[in-house]
Structures are given as C-alpha cells and as structure tokens.
Amino acid sequence: MFEDWLLVLIIFLVSGAALLVALAALLLARRAWRRALQKQGSLTMVKIQSAIMFDRHRYLENFAKIEVTHIGEVPLVIRQIALMLPDGQVIDSVEWDQRNTTLPVTLENGQTAFFYMHDRAIRAALIEAKRAGECELTPICRDRMGLVYKGIPWILPPDDPTAA
C-alpha cells in the first residue's frame, strides 16, 4: 500500500517538473520572440489623403490616395492596400489606375507604395455596403502573412466621399 502511494507521489512530482520545464521554455521562447521584434525595429505607416487630378488647369477627377511607407531592415511584402469600414468590411474592388503600385510588392527600407481609389468607386462600394450619412474609412494594408497595418481613420461627409 505504501509503495502505491510512493509511486503516485513520484509520478506527480515528475509530471509537475515536466510542466515547470515546459512553462520555462514557453517564457524563454516568448522573450526571444519579443527581442527579435525589437531588433527588427520596423514601422509601417499607412495614410490617406485627397488627390485631385488636373489637366492644363482643368479639373478632371477626385481620388483617395493611400500611401504605405515601410521603415525597417527586413523587407515587407504588401499583398493588399484597401479601405476598411468600422465593421471590418474591406473596400478594395476598385477600377485599376496606372498610378497604382502593382501588388504584391516588396518594400525595402524607406520605400512607398501608392494606391489611388476613384471617388465613384468609393461611393459605389458604400452604397453596396448600405452605408448612408457620415462614414469612417480606415486605410489598411495587408502583408503576405495576413497581418493588417492600419492608418488613421478618414471621416467622410455624407455627400462627398473625397473631402478630407
């Protein structure tokens, strides 16, 4: 009877020690991961602004211009540049513009990718999403791993989606 209790105690102690070793390994791995992120020191800035196209002093069209700038030693592969509604819905199905950076694109330190969205395409997407009135759009980009980088939200008045 005493031997059974001793065996149970030994098994309990061994499993407890194994649990402590696993926990220590997890903490060390997390610490190494954080240090690697700090060492990389990368920053991805996403911003949006109004862009108006002119031809010889004649107004042509309104656009929203999204810029993605990468600052860091490790290159970043951008897979998607888009606008996000507060509910997470993404507006990216817009007509292609020759000024847009071809995606996917690899950004080195200090490089910028541009994406222009025509105001007609933004309005059509908002109507399709059943959005009326003032709307908040957040410029985003998604890298090849699926991580989303967000910019400062853009508040659009009800009638003019390209007014900053």
Side-chain angles (χ1 to χ4, degrees):
M1 176 103 173
F2 178 72
E3 294 171 358
D4 292 338
W5 281 103
L6 186 60
L7 185 61
V8 169
L9 181 63
I10 291 173
I11 291 173
F12 179 74
L13 290 175
V14 169
S15 62
L19 181 64
L20 286 175
V21 168
L23 185 61
L26 178 68
L27 291 174
L28 285 173
R30 182 172 183 232
R31 183 177 176 196
W33 176 71
R34 284 185 153 210
R35 280 193 177 172
L37 282 179
Q38 289 172 349
K39 186 184 271 187
Q40 178 183 346
S42 67
L43 170 69
T44 303
M45 297 185 308
V46 183
K47 65 180 181 177
I48 188 169
Q49 61 190 11
S50 294
I52 301 173
M53 302 299 165
F54 285 93
D55 180 33
R56 295 188 182 151
H57 307 293
R58 185 179 57 130
Y59 165 77
L60 291 177
E61 301 173 291
N62 288 335
F63 287 86
K65 177 184 175 185
I66 303 173
E67 292 181 22
V68 178
T69 304
H70 176 65
I71 301 169
E73 297 297 320
V74 180
L76 179 69
V77 178
I78 299 296
R79 186 173 61 114
Q80 178 187 36
I81 301 174
L83 294 173
M84 183 183 284
L85 295 168
D87 63 359
Q89 189 175 1
V90 174
I91 300 174
D92 68 348
S93 58
V94 296
E95 49 197 63
W96 187 82
D97 188 285
Q98 72 260 14
R99 293 171 293 259
N100 288 346
T101 303
T102 304
L103 299 174
V105 63
T106 301
L107 297 179
E108 301 287 337
N109 187 17
Q111 289 183 323
T112 301
F114 300 97
F115 195 75
Y116 291 86
M117 289 189 179
H118 198 279
D119 67 338
R120 283 181 279 133
I122 295 172
R123 285 183 193 155
L126 291 175
I127 290 170
E128 186 177 314
K130 296 181 172 84
R131 295 287 176 158
E134 188 173 272
C135 187
E136 179 181 290
L137 295 174
T138 303
I140 66 160
C141 74
R142 210 177 293 271
D143 69 5
R144 72 173 172 206
M145 303 299 289
L147 293 174
V148 176
Y149 302 87
K150 295 181 180 182
I152 297 172
W154 203 35
I155 307 297
L156 303 179
D159 297 324
D160 185 9
T162 59

